[in-house]
Amino acid sequence: MDVKQLPTLAVLSDYVTVCELDGIKVVRVIHPKATATISLFGAHVLSFQPTGKKDTIWMSENADFGGSKAIRGGIPVCWPWFGKVAEPSHGFARTSEWTLNEHRENDEGVIISLTLQDSAETRAIWPHAFKAELLVEVTDTLDVKLVSTNTGDTPFQLGGALHTYLNIGDITTTTVSSLGNEYIEGGVRKPSAGNTTFDQEVDRIYPHADETVVVDDPALQRRLNVINGGNNGVVVWNPWKALSISMGDMADNSYETMVCVESAVHDRSVTLNAGETHTLSTKIVSC
Ligand code: TA6
């Protein structure tokens, strides 16, 4: 996506504008350190490119930006749960309209804050009072923090994921490592050597991954360090060929250039008492 070509709706500062992309509003950051776009629909980071380097984030060429369906690619905010444990799958945050709360900037970069609060619509799906804030720091690295607060007076259980789609040169030569000695696949725990390569669909939760997970991508001649916090697992996903073909919003061969490395609370195991806050984070460093 050429972010510079998107039609401008409002200029907020030297580095930040609001633009239009099909049916959605997008915060666009063009800063000497990096460019990025973040959709208000879903608080979804759509793109991030450090200056002089290749795109860090993968976006499907067939992604739907109509504003009713979750966007394929970028960093979907799966919240307040991860996966299919309830409806909708991966929670309602990624298909909700968020509010642009604040933007701050200096020579080092830009911070964008987006918020979502409970409403009649969210309470019909999940009967809790909350505030969620997504803080996106755009500098020569991308730092995303999802801050969840219980604004009600009864506890709730929380899960979720920052479901990052990383842009890679070739899945068949990519290695993801520092993943710990075990993974969960289809509900079954299996031993792990701590790294994985790809020659078929991979959809795994690594509950003992290191804080920094490493993605080696010889085809693009780079390494991505993914530094996670507030999580109890790292999800690694590549849909491979058959699943890509079955998904209308992915091109048939697009699995070849993406891998998801997700900072996740995979099992709704965070208890948030009244007034408490939890932060889930991921930071991506391109080396
Ligand atoms: O994070 C991996 C996963 O949960 C997979 O099981 C796969 O279905 C993927 O997310 C995408 O989910 P989505 O609902 O966006 O199609």
Side-chain angles (χ1 to χ4, degrees):
M1 168 181 0
D2 185 355
V3 301
K4 293 184 179 151
Q5 297 304 320
L6 298 177
T8 302
L9 296 173
V11 177
L12 303 186
S13 71
D14 285 353
Y15 301 135
V16 183
T17 51
V18 179
C19 318
E20 200 173 26
L21 173 56
D22 295 348
I24 59 174
K25 283 188 184 145
V26 171
V27 179
R28 174 176 58 191
V29 175
I30 301 177
H31 186 278
K33 296 273 186 189
T35 58
T37 46
I38 305 138
S39 164
L40 297 191
F41 174 70
H44 197 128
V45 175
L46 303 177
S47 66
F48 170 71
Q49 184 170 18
T51 302
K53 296 190 175 171
K54 299 192 177 80
D55 275 331
T56 305
I57 299 294
W58 182 90
M59 177 55 65
S60 173
E61 63 195 80
N62 295 345
D64 182 339
F65 299 112
S68 57
K69 186 173 182 250
I71 297 165
R72 180 71 59 201
I75 309 184
V77 175
C78 302
W79 191 94
W81 54 82
F82 170 78
K84 295 188 169 73
V85 292
E87 276 292 318
S89 177
H90 285 323
F92 53 81
R94 64 179 180 160
T95 49
S96 295
E97 192 67 20
W98 291 55
T99 302
L100 174 58
N101 174 50
E102 194 182 0
H103 58 96
R104 276 176 271 147
E105 61 190 49
N106 61 24
D107 291 350
E108 290 307 307
V110 174
I111 297 179
I112 304 291
S113 156
L114 303 177
T115 53
L116 179 69
Q117 278 175 282
D118 60 293
S119 62
E121 209 179 326
T122 67
R123 286 190 296 272
I125 303 170
W126 192 59
H128 300 290
F130 69 85
K131 180 180 172 195
E133 179 177 24
L134 193 80
L135 286 157
V136 183
E137 186 171 354
V138 176
T139 171
D140 43 12
T141 61
L142 176 67
D143 196 347
V144 181
K145 292 188 176 70
L146 175 61
V147 184
S148 307
T149 304
N150 181 344
T151 56
D153 45 25
T154 51
F156 58 66
Q157 293 304 123
L158 190 65
L162 296 166
H163 194 304
T164 309
Y165 288 72
L166 295 170
N167 187 37
I168 54 167
D170 180 359
I171 190 68
T172 64
T173 56
T174 294
T175 305
V176 183
S177 54
S178 300
L179 288 167
N181 61 3
E182 189 183 45
Y183 63 82
I184 306 167
E185 193 172 40
V188 180
R189 286 183 184 261
K190 297 180 182 169
S192 165
N195 57 62
T196 187
T197 52
F198 301 84
D199 59 7
Q200 59 183 326
E201 183 188 352
V202 168
D203 188 354
R204 298 176 181 169
I205 300 164
Y206 287 86
H208 315 298
D210 290 356
E211 183 185 31
T212 300
V213 170
V214 178
V215 179
D216 278 304
D217 178 6
L220 289 189
Q221 296 181 309
R222 77 172 171 190
R223 194 180 75 221
L224 297 174
N225 287 340
V226 182
I227 306 160
N228 300 315
N231 58 321
N232 69 355
V234 169
V235 180
V236 177
W237 181 56
N238 181 284
W240 215 250
K241 192 163 191 168
L243 196 51
S244 297
I245 291 172
S246 75
M247 288 192 282
D249 56 6
M250 274 188 84
D252 293 356
N253 62 351
S254 58
Y255 73 94
E256 292 170 359
T257 56
M258 54 74 61
V259 64
C260 288
V261 176
E262 312 165 29
S263 178
V265 174
H266 60 90
D267 54 3
R268 289 212 268 202
S269 60
V270 169
T271 304
L272 268 196
N273 293 308
E276 284 182 351
T277 286
H278 172 263
T279 302
L280 180 68
S281 64
T282 194
K283 178 174 178 175
I284 302 157
V285 183
S286 178
C287 310

Coordinates of all heavy atoms in Angstrom, one line a residue, residues 72-125:
R72 N -7.6 -8.4 6.8 CA -6.7 -9.5 6.8 C -5.2 -9.0 6.6 O -4.9 -8.5 5.5 CB -7.0 -10.4 5.6 CG -6.1 -11.6 5.4 CD -6.2 -12.7 6.4 NE -7.5 -13.2 6.5 CZ -8.0 -13.9 7.6 NH1 -7.3 -14.0 8.6 NH2 -9.3 -14.3 7.5
G73 N -4.5 -9.0 7.6 CA -3.1 -8.5 7.6 C -3.0 -7.4 8.7 O -3.9 -7.3 9.5
G74 N -1.8 -6.8 8.7 CA -1.6 -5.7 9.7 C -1.5 -6.3 11.1 O -0.9 -7.4 11.3
I75 N -2.0 -5.6 12.1 CA -2.0 -6.1 13.5 C -3.5 -6.1 14.0 O -3.9 -5.1 14.6 CB -1.1 -5.3 14.4 CG1 0.3 -5.2 13.8 CG2 -1.1 -6.0 15.8 CD1 1.3 -4.5 14.8
P76 N -4.3 -7.1 13.7 CA -5.6 -7.1 14.3 C -5.5 -7.2 15.8 O -4.7 -7.9 16.4 CB -6.2 -8.5 13.8 CG -5.4 -8.8 12.6 CD -4.0 -8.2 12.8
V77 N -6.4 -6.4 16.5 CA -6.5 -6.4 17.9 C -7.6 -7.4 18.3 O -8.8 -7.2 18.2 CB -6.9 -5.0 18.5 CG1 -7.1 -5.1 20.0 CG2 -5.8 -4.0 18.2
C78 N -7.1 -8.6 18.7 CA -8.1 -9.7 19.1 C -8.4 -9.4 20.6 O -7.5 -9.5 21.5 CB -7.5 -11.1 19.0 SG -7.0 -11.4 17.3
W79 N -9.6 -9.1 21.0 CA -9.9 -8.6 22.3 C -11.4 -8.6 22.5 O -12.1 -8.1 21.6 CB -9.3 -7.2 22.5 CG -9.3 -6.7 23.9 CD1 -8.3 -6.8 24.9 CD2 -10.4 -6.1 24.6 NE1 -8.6 -6.3 26.0 CE2 -9.9 -5.8 25.9 CE3 -11.7 -5.6 24.2 CZ2 -10.7 -5.1 26.8 CZ3 -12.5 -5.0 25.2 CH2 -12.0 -4.7 26.4
P80 N -12.0 -9.0 23.6 CA -11.4 -9.3 24.9 C -11.1 -10.8 25.0 O -10.9 -11.3 26.1 CB -12.5 -8.9 25.9 CG -13.8 -9.0 25.2 CD -13.4 -8.7 23.7
W81 N -11.1 -11.5 23.9 CA -10.6 -12.9 23.9 C -9.9 -13.2 22.6 O -10.0 -12.5 21.6 CB -11.8 -13.9 24.2 CG -12.9 -13.8 23.2 CD1 -13.0 -14.3 21.9 CD2 -14.1 -13.1 23.4 NE1 -14.2 -14.0 21.3 CE2 -14.9 -13.2 22.2 CE3 -14.7 -12.3 24.4 CZ2 -16.2 -12.7 22.0 CZ3 -16.0 -11.8 24.3 CH2 -16.7 -12.0 23.1
F82 N -9.1 -14.4 22.7 CA -8.4 -14.9 21.6 C -9.1 -16.1 21.1 O -9.5 -17.0 21.8 CB -7.0 -15.2 22.0 CG -6.2 -16.0 20.9 CD1 -5.7 -15.3 19.8 CD2 -6.0 -17.3 21.0 CE1 -5.0 -16.0 18.8 CE2 -5.4 -18.0 20.0 CZ -4.9 -17.3 18.9
G83 N -9.3 -16.2 19.8 CA -9.8 -17.5 19.2 C -11.3 -17.6 19.2 O -12.0 -16.6 19.3
K84 N -11.8 -18.8 19.1 CA -13.2 -19.1 18.9 C -13.9 -19.5 20.2 O -14.9 -20.1 20.1 CB -13.3 -20.2 17.9 CG -12.8 -19.9 16.5 CD -13.1 -21.0 15.4 CE -12.8 -20.5 14.0 NZ -11.4 -20.5 13.7
V85 N -13.4 -19.1 21.3 CA -14.0 -19.4 22.6 C -15.4 -18.8 22.8 O -16.2 -19.2 23.6 CB -13.1 -19.1 23.8 CG1 -11.9 -19.9 23.8 CG2 -12.8 -17.6 23.8
A86 N -15.7 -17.7 22.0 CA -17.0 -17.1 22.1 C -17.2 -16.4 20.7 O -16.2 -16.3 19.9 CB -17.0 -16.0 23.2
E87 N -18.4 -15.9 20.5 CA -18.7 -15.1 19.3 C -18.6 -13.6 19.5 O -19.1 -13.2 20.5 CB -20.1 -15.5 18.8 CG -20.2 -16.8 18.0 CD -19.5 -16.7 16.6 OE1 -19.6 -15.6 16.0 OE2 -18.8 -17.6 16.3
P88 N -18.0 -12.8 18.6 CA -17.4 -13.3 17.4 C -16.0 -13.8 17.7 O -15.3 -13.5 18.7 CB -17.3 -12.0 16.6 CG -17.2 -10.9 17.6 CD -18.0 -11.4 18.8
S89 N -15.5 -14.6 16.7 CA -14.1 -15.2 16.8 C -13.1 -14.0 17.0 O -13.2 -13.0 16.3 CB -13.8 -16.0 15.5 OG -12.5 -16.5 15.6
H90 N -12.2 -14.2 18.0 CA -11.2 -13.2 18.3 C -11.7 -11.9 18.8 O -11.1 -10.9 18.8 CB -10.3 -12.9 17.0 CG -9.3 -13.9 16.6 ND1 -8.6 -14.7 17.6 CD2 -8.9 -14.4 15.4 CE1 -7.8 -15.5 16.9 NE2 -7.9 -15.4 15.6
G91 N -13.0 -12.0 19.3 CA -13.5 -10.8 20.0 C -14.1 -9.7 19.1 O -14.0 -9.9 17.9
F92 N -14.6 -8.7 19.7 CA -15.3 -7.6 18.9 C -14.5 -6.4 18.7 O -14.8 -5.5 17.9 CB -16.6 -7.2 19.6 CG -16.4 -6.8 21.1 CD1 -16.0 -5.5 21.4 CD2 -16.7 -7.7 22.1 CE1 -15.8 -5.1 22.7 CE2 -16.5 -7.3 23.4 CZ -16.1 -6.0 23.7
A93 N -13.3 -6.3 19.3 CA -12.5 -5.1 19.2 C -12.1 -4.8 17.7 O -12.0 -3.7 17.3 CB -11.3 -5.1 20.1
R94 N -11.7 -5.9 17.0 CA -11.2 -5.7 15.7 C -12.2 -5.3 14.6 O -11.9 -4.9 13.5 CB -10.4 -7.0 15.2 CG -11.3 -8.2 15.0 CD -10.4 -9.4 14.5 NE -11.2 -10.6 14.4 CZ -10.9 -11.6 13.6 NH1 -9.7 -11.6 13.0 NH2 -11.7 -12.7 13.5
T95 N -13.5 -5.4 15.0 CA -14.6 -4.9 14.1 C -15.4 -3.8 14.7 O -16.5 -3.5 14.3 CB -15.5 -6.1 13.7 OG1 -15.9 -6.8 14.9 CG2 -14.8 -7.0 12.7
S96 N -14.8 -3.1 15.8 CA -15.4 -1.9 16.4 C -14.8 -0.7 15.9 O -13.6 -0.7 15.6 CB -15.3 -2.0 17.9 OG -16.0 -3.1 18.4
E97 N -15.5 0.4 15.9 CA -15.0 1.7 15.6 C -14.3 2.3 16.8 O -15.0 2.5 17.8 CB -16.1 2.6 15.0 CG -15.7 3.9 14.4 CD -14.9 3.7 13.1 OE1 -15.0 2.6 12.5 OE2 -14.2 4.6 12.7
W98 N -13.1 2.6 16.8 CA -12.3 3.2 17.9 C -12.3 4.7 17.7 O -12.5 5.2 16.6 CB -10.9 2.6 18.0 CG -10.9 1.2 18.4 CD1 -11.5 0.1 17.8 CD2 -10.1 0.6 19.5 NE1 -11.2 -1.1 18.5 CE2 -10.3 -0.8 19.5 CE3 -9.3 1.1 20.5 CZ2 -9.7 -1.7 20.4 CZ3 -8.7 0.3 21.4 CH2 -8.9 -1.1 21.4
T99 N -11.9 5.4 18.8 CA -11.8 6.9 18.8 C -10.4 7.3 18.8 O -9.6 6.7 19.6 CB -12.6 7.5 20.0 OG1 -13.9 7.0 20.0 CG2 -12.5 9.0 20.0
L100 N -10.0 8.2 18.0 CA -8.7 8.8 18.0 C -8.6 9.7 19.3 O -9.3 10.7 19.3 CB -8.3 9.6 16.8 CG -7.0 10.3 16.8 CD1 -5.8 9.4 17.0 CD2 -6.8 11.1 15.4
N101 N -7.8 9.3 20.3 CA -7.8 10.0 21.5 C -6.8 11.1 21.6 O -7.0 12.2 22.1 CB -7.6 8.9 22.6 CG -7.4 9.5 24.0 OD1 -8.2 10.3 24.5 ND2 -6.3 9.1 24.7
E102 N -5.6 10.8 21.1 CA -4.5 11.7 21.2 C -3.4 11.4 20.2 O -3.2 10.2 19.8 CB -3.9 11.5 22.6 CG -3.0 12.6 23.1 CD -2.5 12.3 24.5 OE1 -2.8 11.3 25.1 OE2 -1.7 13.1 25.0
H103 N -2.6 12.4 19.8 CA -1.4 12.1 19.1 C -0.3 13.0 19.6 O -0.6 14.2 20.0 CB -1.6 12.3 17.6 CG -2.0 13.7 17.2 ND1 -1.2 14.7 16.8 CD2 -3.3 14.2 17.2 CE1 -1.9 15.8 16.5 NE2 -3.2 15.5 16.7
R104 N 0.9 12.5 19.8 CA 2.0 13.3 20.3 C 3.2 13.0 19.4 O 3.3 11.9 18.9 CB 2.4 12.8 21.7 CG 1.5 13.5 22.8 CD 1.9 12.9 24.2 NE 1.1 11.7 24.4 CZ 1.5 10.7 25.1 NH1 2.7 10.6 25.6 NH2 0.7 9.6 25.4
E105 N 4.1 13.9 19.3 CA 5.2 13.7 18.3 C 6.4 14.5 18.7 O 6.3 15.6 19.4 CB 4.8 14.1 16.9 CG 4.4 15.5 16.7 CD 3.7 15.8 15.4 OE1 2.9 15.0 15.0 OE2 4.2 16.7 14.7
N106 N 7.6 14.1 18.4 CA 8.8 14.8 18.5 C 9.8 14.3 17.4 O 9.3 13.6 16.5 CB 9.4 14.8 19.9 CG 9.7 13.3 20.3 OD1 10.0 12.5 19.4 ND2 9.8 13.1 21.6
D107 N 11.0 14.7 17.5 CA 12.0 14.3 16.4 C 12.2 12.8 16.4 O 12.7 12.2 15.4 CB 13.3 15.0 16.7 CG 13.3 16.5 16.4 OD1 12.2 16.9 15.9 OD2 14.2 17.2 16.8
E108 N 11.9 12.1 17.5 CA 12.1 10.7 17.6 C 11.0 9.8 17.0 O 11.1 8.7 16.6 CB 12.3 10.2 19.0 CG 13.7 10.7 19.6 CD 14.8 10.3 18.7 OE1 15.0 9.1 18.4 OE2 15.6 11.2 18.3
G109 N 9.8 10.4 16.9 CA 8.7 9.7 16.4 C 7.3 10.2 16.8 O 7.2 11.4 17.3
V110 N 6.3 9.4 16.7 CA 4.9 9.8 16.9 C 4.2 8.7 17.8 O 4.5 7.5 17.6 CB 4.1 9.9 15.6 CG1 2.7 10.2 15.8 CG2 4.8 11.0 14.7
I111 N 3.4 9.1 18.7 CA 2.6 8.2 19.5 C 1.1 8.5 19.2 O 0.7 9.6 19.3 CB 2.8 8.3 21.0 CG1 4.3 7.9 21.3 CG2 1.9 7.4 21.8 CD1 4.6 8.0 22.8
I112 N 0.4 7.5 18.8 CA -1.0 7.6 18.5 C -1.8 6.8 19.6 O -1.4 5.6 19.9 CB -1.4 7.0 17.1 CG1 -0.6 7.6 16.0 CG2 -2.9 7.1 16.9 CD1 -0.9 9.1 15.7
S113 N -2.8 7.4 20.2 CA -3.6 6.7 21.2 C -5.1 6.6 20.6 O -5.7 7.6 20.2 CB -3.6 7.5 22.5 OG -4.8 7.2 23.2
L114 N -5.6 5.4 20.6 CA -7.0 5.1 20.2 C -7.7 4.4 21.4 O -7.1 3.6 22.1 CB -7.0 4.2 19.0 CG -6.3 4.6 17.7 CD1 -6.4 3.5 16.7 CD2 -6.8 5.8 17.2
T115 N -9.0 4.7 21.6 CA -9.7 4.2 22.7 C -11.0 3.6 22.3 O -11.6 4.0 21.3 CB -9.9 5.2 23.8 OG1 -10.6 6.3 23.2 CG2 -8.7 5.6 24.5
L116 N -11.4 2.6 23.1 CA -12.7 2.0 22.9 C -13.3 1.8 24.3 O -12.6 1.3 25.2 CB -12.6 0.6 22.2 CG -13.8 -0.2 22.0 CD1 -14.7 0.4 20.9 CD2 -13.5 -1.7 21.6
Q117 N -14.6 2.2 24.5 CA -15.3 2.0 25.7 C -16.5 1.2 25.5 O -17.1 1.1 24.4 CB -15.6 3.3 26.4 CG -14.3 3.9 27.1 CD -14.5 5.3 27.6 OE1 -14.5 6.2 26.8 NE2 -14.7 5.4 28.9
D118 N -17.0 0.6 26.7 CA -18.2 -0.2 26.5 C -19.4 0.6 26.1 O -19.5 1.8 26.4 CB -18.5 -1.0 27.8 CG -18.7 0.0 29.0 OD1 -17.7 0.6 29.4 OD2 -19.9 0.0 29.5
S119 N -20.3 0.0 25.4 CA -21.5 0.7 24.9 C -22.6 -0.4 24.9 O -22.4 -1.6 25.2 CB -21.3 1.1 23.4 OG -21.0 -0.1 22.6
A120 N -23.8 0.0 24.6 CA -24.9 -0.9 24.6 C -24.6 -2.1 23.6 O -24.9 -3.3 23.9 CB -26.2 -0.2 24.1
E121 N -23.9 -1.8 22.5 CA -23.6 -2.8 21.5 C -22.5 -3.8 22.1 O -22.7 -5.0 22.0 CB -22.9 -2.1 20.3 CG -23.1 -2.8 19.0 CD -22.5 -2.0 17.9 OE1 -22.5 -0.7 18.0 OE2 -21.9 -2.6 17.0
T122 N -21.5 -3.3 22.8 CA -20.5 -4.2 23.3 C -21.1 -5.0 24.5 O -20.8 -6.2 24.7 CB -19.2 -3.5 23.8 OG1 -19.5 -2.7 24.9 CG2 -18.6 -2.7 22.7
R123 N -21.9 -4.3 25.4 CA -22.5 -5.0 26.5 C -23.4 -6.2 26.1 O -23.6 -7.1 26.8 CB -23.2 -4.1 27.5 CG -22.2 -3.2 28.3 CD -22.8 -2.4 29.4 NE -23.8 -1.4 28.8 CZ -23.5 -0.2 28.5 NH1 -22.2 0.3 28.6 NH2 -24.4 0.7 28.0
A124 N -24.0 -6.1 24.9 CA -24.9 -7.1 24.4 C -24.0 -8.4 24.1 O -24.5 -9.5 24.1 CB -25.6 -6.7 23.2
I125 N -22.8 -8.2 23.7 CA -21.9 -9.3 23.4 C -21.1 -9.8 24.7 O -20.9 -10.9 24.9 CB -20.8 -8.8 22.4 CG1 -21.5 -8.3 21.1 CG2 -19.9 -10.0 22.0 CD1 -20.6 -7.6 20.1

